[in-house]
Amino acid sequence: MTAEHRAQDSRAQESRAREHRAGVLRADGTPRVVVTGFGVKSPAGGTPAEVLATVLAGKSQAVHVPELLEAGTAVSFGCPAQPLDEERYFSKPERRRLDRMTKLGVAAADDAVAAAGPGYGGDPARHGVYVGTAAAGLASAVALGGHEHAGTLDRVPVPAVPKIMPNATAANVSIRHGCEGPCLTFSTGCASGATAIGEAVLAIRAGRIDAAVAGGVDAILTPFVMAAFARIGTLARRDPTPHTAGRPFDADRDGFVVGEAAAFLTLERADHAAARGARVYGEVAGYGCASDAAHLVQPRPDGEVAARS
């Protein structure tokens, strides 16, 4: 090694040491990934403060849903998201073109980006979008499929494709915020949102991107979907008292309560956040994923794979 190379190596080591002291690198030398913004549209509220207040109050959001009652589904309750002020977030053409799930997701992502403050995102080519969804455009696909049974396929709405494509939320978030990096959609069942966040963190640590809008969204409180879940015996059935139905840790539990919501984070390298003076809410310190490889809907009783993950 020449003297010049030794000097370069020494400067690089000093730089890494300074970054460690500044708290922007992990022990393995990869960037720390911090959270600088939140956005949420949920049954518990439309802002993080509202959601926190509802959670601390321990107030159930399960109610009978008029559409389900009218359809006579075996389970007629769930947790619908609070009403969304669509005119605040969307133009008239967008309100026609986007389905409910995408509207919830885009609005939550908009709030997260706004909360992140000026300068978030940086280089558009290194700014990604990572979205998790279990059902994607399923509810819209079922509704639009009625044209086939009614013999009116020639009158399928023009916005049908934008409504049913699984990556609609990710695509619209990318367009609205000029994110030219990876625009990815993950579907891993109930873990989809966590998967999206974890994969975004790994991409930032690996140096592929510097920032990402990441989170999850689903909206499936429709008669067909609820009937389908009821048929496989996964739903809680305390119909007379929906507010007591969700009890996952009770020995007398009988299923889950379906809700609809969207929640997104803005993630970025710690050094980027520090350089622009951003408020840091926390750090995503770890992520792992695995598959039980045992049953389609039931977790392994011993929890071994989950523990390994």
Side-chain angles (χ1 to χ4, degrees):
M1 180 181 292
T2 66
E4 182 180 352
H5 287 157
R6 283 195 297 271
Q8 290 176 346
D9 185 59
S10 176
R11 287 194 295 271
Q13 290 180 7
E14 290 175 4
S15 176
R16 286 194 293 271
R18 285 195 300 271
E19 290 176 324
H20 276 296
R21 287 194 296 270
V24 297
L25 291 182
R26 289 159 36 88
D28 62 2
T30 59
R32 287 178 58 209
V33 180
V34 296
V35 179
T36 53
F38 298 97
V40 63
K41 302 299 174 189
S42 80
T47 67
E50 291 173 357
V51 172
L52 179 60
T54 302
V55 171
L56 293 179
K59 185 179 179 181
S60 170
Q61 300 302 299
V63 296
H64 285 107
V65 178
E67 186 182 3
L68 303 180
L69 287 169
E70 183 179 343
T73 56
V75 175
S76 62
F77 63 88
C79 297
Q82 295 292 323
L84 177 65
D85 182 359
E86 294 190 7
E87 292 187 4
R88 173 187 169 192
Y89 293 95
F90 305 106
S91 65
K92 190 173 182 179
E94 287 174 325
R95 295 199 294 275
R96 289 196 302 265
R97 186 176 71 245
L98 306 179
D99 73 349
R100 177 166 175 76
M101 189 197 84
T102 302
K103 289 174 183 175
L104 290 173
V106 171
D110 280 3
D111 286 357
V113 172
Y120 167 70
D123 181 358
R126 296 183 59 79
H127 191 187
V129 178
Y130 291 69
V131 175
T133 174
L138 175 60
S140 289
V142 170
L144 290 163
H147 288 274
E148 182 175 1
H149 301 293
T152 57
L153 286 175
D154 58 330
R155 293 202 294 273
V156 170
V158 173
V161 171
K163 285 188 174 184
I164 66 176
M165 63 187 209
N167 66 327
T169 301
N172 280 280
V173 171
S174 173
I175 292 168
R176 287 167 79 95
H177 299 289
C179 305
E180 298 176 1
C183 180
L184 304 177
T185 300
F186 301 86
S187 187
T188 54
C190 297
S192 298
T195 300
I197 293 170
E199 293 298 323
V201 168
L202 294 185
I204 295 173
R205 285 185 186 170
R208 294 196 293 271
I209 56 176
D210 297 323
V213 183
V217 58
D218 268 303
I220 56 173
L221 276 177
T222 63
F224 176 85
V225 178
M226 291 293 287
F229 274 107
R231 285 283 288 172
I232 61 174
T234 61
L235 300 185
R237 291 178 177 263
R238 292 177 175 83
D239 207 78
T241 56
H243 63 283
T244 69
R247 49 179 76 188
F249 304 108
D250 193 304
D252 194 32
R253 64 189 179 273
D254 63 346
F256 68 91
V257 179
V258 174
E260 58 179 13
F264 281 83
L265 310 176
T266 51
L267 305 170
E268 59 186 298
R269 290 170 51 120
D271 57 338
H272 285 216
R276 67 185 186 89
R279 177 176 179 178
V280 172
Y281 294 91
E283 175 185 2
V284 183
Y287 164 67
C289 63
S291 173
D292 278 348
H295 192 277
L296 189 61
V297 294
Q298 294 178 356
R300 279 177 47 153
D302 61 11
E304 179 183 344
V305 179
R308 187 192 317 147
S309 177

